Amino acid sequence: MKKKLTVGLLTFMLLSTGSIVTPLETASAQTLEEMKQEKQEIENKANEVGSLIQTRDQEMNQLDQEKASLETEVRGIQETIDDIMLKLNEQEIKIEEANTEISRLQAEITKLKEQIANREDKLQHQARAVQTQGNMTNMVHIVVASESLSDLIGRMGMVNEIVSANRGIMTEQINDQLAVEESETSVQKEKEAIVQIKEEMQADRTELASQRVQLEDRINEVANQFEMTAEEKATFISEQQTLAQKSSKLDEEMQAEQQRLIEIEKARQEEIRVAEEKARQEEAERKALAEAKAEEEASQKARILAEKRAEENAAAKAAKKKAEEKAVAAASVVNIKKEEKPEPKPKPEIKPEPAPTPKPEVKPTNSTGFIFPTSGRMTSRYGYRLHPIYKTYRLHAGVDWASSAKTAPSIVAAQSGRVVRVVYSNTGWGNYVKIDHGNGVQTLYAHMLSDLRVSVGQTVSQGQRIGTMGSTGASTGRHLHLEVYKNGRTVNPMLYF
């Protein structure tokens, strides 16, 4: 009867909590296909209810079987409790026996200690007598006072007997001491045995208490499983609602996680795009650098070739002039030897060719019109590197020039422009100057000495000195750190130099 009532209540509860809509209530607003779908949903709900009822019947049968098993277990626990009670009685007897043995051993120890004390008094008395009388004079007196050899031997025998007697006392004293130690050891062992017995009793008592608690828990568990109250039904319904909320929340979390994965994938694709763009930019910069270098090498070769040709032309002119002078001299000698000496013609005045004027020093430049801002050698290029101070892998956004000359070289403006920033600092770039050249191009000169030659707002021309190479700020040695900005972002300076 109880099972049927439970099944009925469970069926009513599931049907009442389900989202079932009858076709009559929504027939006017639904199509035939929607009604078929709703019917299928109702059938599915009915199948679920039947399955739940069958499951509940199986659970009740399992409870019956568990009840029988629990009764068997209760009997086993009671038998265990009886065994523990017998063990407790045996342990109480062992404790009484151990206490009796301890009392006996303590009495023996007391007796032995009294005997040892008496012997110690006797030995101390004899020792005091020997200390007061047993000197060398007494020994001589024994020898002199002896009337004969036999008398002397007798006197010495008495002395030996006294010594032997004392030796026996010492032996007994040692034996009694050993007996006391053995008795004390036995007492200690008996005490340890009592402690062990008490610990065993405590363990048995604990086990008994645990068995009792288990028994009470099992009894309560069976009582709770066989009693379905209204409060338990309400709890079951509340749990169903909680599970539904958790399921809804889980769906939201799954959607959020899917969205997060989509965002991560987008970010990864963006990183790939940026990396590819950066690689393309670096490749373009590398090609531009190679082209600039090739152009510079070609320009240098052309200049060298032009200078060589100029030298060859000058040498040819000098040789031709020397040959003409020799020819004129030879013709003069021939005319003098002739019989008819005509009037010598005045020699034409030969003007020496002017020496070639030295060409002014031209600083290296390229098609962009920028010049190198200082002398020295390049020590670090534009790109990612291990920072020499911070020891982290980061972008080196410029190029470095260093000089080992005794006098620090000057820093000049790479192109004409307007000074937009002058900073004196002991950190970062140190003392630096920033110049705006127009068309979104700016240059920055860092780590200079404090003798900066320009100010903000000043217009400078190309090659005008703005400072001196130094090592201010985050620097490991004297050098110039040069950066080039295009529309606010750093670019490879070698695109301009």
Side-chain angles (χ1 to χ4, degrees):
M1 183 64 183
K2 188 174 183 179
K3 291 183 180 180
K4 292 181 179 180
L5 180 60
T6 302
V7 171
L9 289 173
L10 179 61
T11 303
F12 174 76
M13 177 186 65
L14 292 173
L15 290 174
S16 63
T17 56
S19 58
I20 300 174
V21 181
T22 62
L24 294 176
E25 294 174 346
T26 58
S28 60
Q30 294 178 339
T31 64
L32 180 62
E33 186 65 29
E34 290 174 338
M35 292 175 66
K36 289 181 179 180
Q37 183 178 358
E38 185 176 358
K39 181 179 178 181
Q40 183 64 40
E41 292 177 355
I42 293 173
E43 290 176 352
N44 292 338
K45 287 289 184 180
N47 292 333
E48 290 177 3
V49 170
S51 177
L52 289 172
I53 292 172
Q54 185 179 2
T55 301
R56 179 59 64 187
D57 288 336
Q58 293 175 355
E59 289 176 354
M60 296 299 293
N61 292 332
Q62 291 176 358
L63 286 175
D64 288 335
Q65 296 175 1
E66 188 175 357
K67 180 180 178 182
S69 175
L70 183 59
E71 291 174 353
T72 302
E73 188 175 350
V74 168
R75 288 193 295 269
I77 292 173
Q78 188 60 47
E79 291 175 0
T80 302
I81 292 173
D82 294 338
D83 292 338
I84 291 174
M85 293 302 298
L86 291 175
K87 289 181 181 179
L88 289 175
N89 293 332
E90 293 174 359
Q91 290 170 350
E92 291 291 342
I93 295 172
K94 289 181 180 180
I95 289 175
E96 291 177 0
E97 292 176 354
N99 288 330
T100 302
E101 182 63 18
I102 289 173
S103 299
R104 185 185 66 78
L105 291 173
Q106 288 178 344
E108 289 182 1
I109 290 172
T110 301
K111 184 177 178 181
L112 289 172
K113 286 183 176 180
E114 290 176 355
Q115 292 177 0
I116 290 171
N118 293 332
R119 291 193 189 98
E120 287 179 352
D121 291 338
K122 186 175 180 180
L123 289 173
Q124 289 177 0
H125 178 72
Q126 290 181 357
R128 285 193 296 270
V130 169
Q131 289 176 358
T132 57
Q133 299 178 4
N135 51 35
M136 197 65 184
T137 304
N138 291 335
M139 295 299 294
V140 172
H141 177 73
I142 290 172
V143 174
V144 174
S146 299
E147 295 178 356
S148 63
L149 181 59
S150 60
D151 186 23
L152 176 61
I153 292 172
R155 290 174 182 266
M156 294 302 293
M158 291 176 64
V159 172
N160 289 334
E161 288 178 0
I162 294 171
V163 172
S164 298
N166 288 337
R167 185 180 296 112
I169 292 172
M170 290 298 298
T171 301
E172 292 177 357
Q173 187 78 350
I174 292 171
N175 291 335
D176 289 342
Q177 289 283 358
L178 292 174
V180 168
E181 293 175 358
E182 290 177 356
S183 297
E184 290 178 344
T185 301
S186 298
V187 169
Q188 183 63 29
K189 289 181 178 179
E190 289 295 333
K191 289 182 178 180
E192 291 176 355
I194 290 174
V195 171
Q196 184 177 358
I197 290 171
K198 288 182 177 180
E199 290 177 352
E200 292 175 356
M201 290 178 64
Q202 183 64 32
D204 291 339
R205 288 172 180 171
T206 302
E207 183 179 358
L208 177 60
S210 176
Q211 294 290 339
R212 287 178 177 174
V213 170
Q214 291 180 7
L215 179 59
E216 292 173 357
D217 290 342
R218 296 297 292 170
I219 292 172
N220 292 331
E221 184 179 353
V222 171
N224 291 332
Q225 288 178 347
F226 277 89
E227 292 179 4
M228 294 186 64
T229 62
E231 182 180 356
E232 290 173 341
K233 292 178 184 179
T235 302
F236 182 75
I237 295 173
S238 176
E239 184 177 357
Q240 282 187 327
Q241 294 174 350
T242 301
L243 290 174
Q245 293 175 357
K246 288 182 178 178
S247 177
S248 177
K249 184 178 180 181
L250 181 60
D251 290 338
E252 293 176 357
E253 292 176 352
M254 290 174 62
Q255 292 177 359
E257 180 65 14
Q258 290 176 353
Q259 185 64 29
R260 187 182 68 84
L261 293 175
I262 292 172
E263 294 297 332
I264 290 176
E265 180 63 18
K266 288 182 179 179
R268 189 180 71 84
Q269 293 295 335
E270 179 64 18
E271 289 178 355
I272 293 174
R273 187 192 65 77
V274 171
E276 291 175 350
E277 181 67 23
K278 180 180 178 183
R280 286 193 296 268
Q281 182 180 359
E282 290 178 351
E283 180 66 18
E285 291 174 354
R286 185 186 65 78
K287 289 182 179 180
L289 180 61
E291 291 173 358
K293 185 176 180 181
E295 182 182 351
E296 182 180 353
E297 290 176 353
S299 176
Q300 290 179 354
K301 287 180 180 179
R303 179 174 56 81
I304 293 172
L305 182 61
E307 291 176 353
K308 185 176 180 181
R309 287 177 180 175
E311 291 174 356
E312 290 175 353
N313 291 333
K317 288 181 180 180
K320 182 178 179 181
K321 180 181 178 181
K322 188 175 181 180
E324 289 175 352
E325 290 175 352
K326 286 182 179 181
V328 171
S332 300
V333 172
V334 171
N335 290 330
I336 293 172
K337 289 181 179 181
K338 286 181 179 181
E339 293 179 357
E340 295 181 358
K341 295 180 181 179
E343 297 237 357
K345 296 180 180 180
K347 295 181 181 180
E349 183 180 359
I350 301 174
K351 296 181 180 180
E353 291 186 4
T357 57
K359 298 180 178 180
E361 181 182 357
V362 179
K363 295 188 177 180
T365 183
N366 62 8
S367 59
T368 62
F370 282 74
I371 64 172
F372 288 111
T374 187
S375 60
R377 68 187 188 282
M378 184 183 296
T379 57
S380 183
R381 295 184 177 275
Y382 180 90
Y384 283 88
R385 67 169 187 177
L386 183 66
H387 197 281
I389 296 177
Y390 304 120
K391 305 302 180 185
T392 56
Y393 194 71
R394 59 175 65 181
L395 175 66
H396 183 232
V399 293
D400 292 344
W401 269 285
S403 174
S404 58
K406 185 175 181 180
T407 302
S410 300
I411 308 298
V412 301
Q415 181 62 278
S416 60
R418 183 176 61 87
V419 179
V420 294
R421 193 166 180 80
V422 176
V423 175
Y424 295 86
S425 175
N426 292 324
T427 60
W429 287 326
N431 303 327
Y432 70 93
V433 172
K434 194 172 187 180
I435 301 175
D436 185 1
H437 305 289
N439 296 324
V441 179
Q442 294 179 332
T443 53
L444 183 144
Y445 312 81
H447 304 300
M448 291 189 291
L449 297 179
S450 58
D451 60 341
L452 303 181
R453 305 296 182 90
V454 293
S455 59
V456 175
Q458 179 180 345
T459 300
V460 295
S461 59
Q462 186 181 47
Q464 180 178 340
R465 183 177 181 183
I466 60 175
T468 306
M469 185 184 294
S471 184
T472 58
S475 171
T476 58
R478 187 175 70 184
H479 74 287
L480 167 67
H481 174 76
L482 173 67
E483 292 188 1
V484 176
Y485 295 82
K486 179 63 175 178
N487 297 326
R489 298 180 62 181
T490 60
V491 295
N492 189 347
M494 298 312 297
L495 297 174
Y496 294 83
F497 295 93

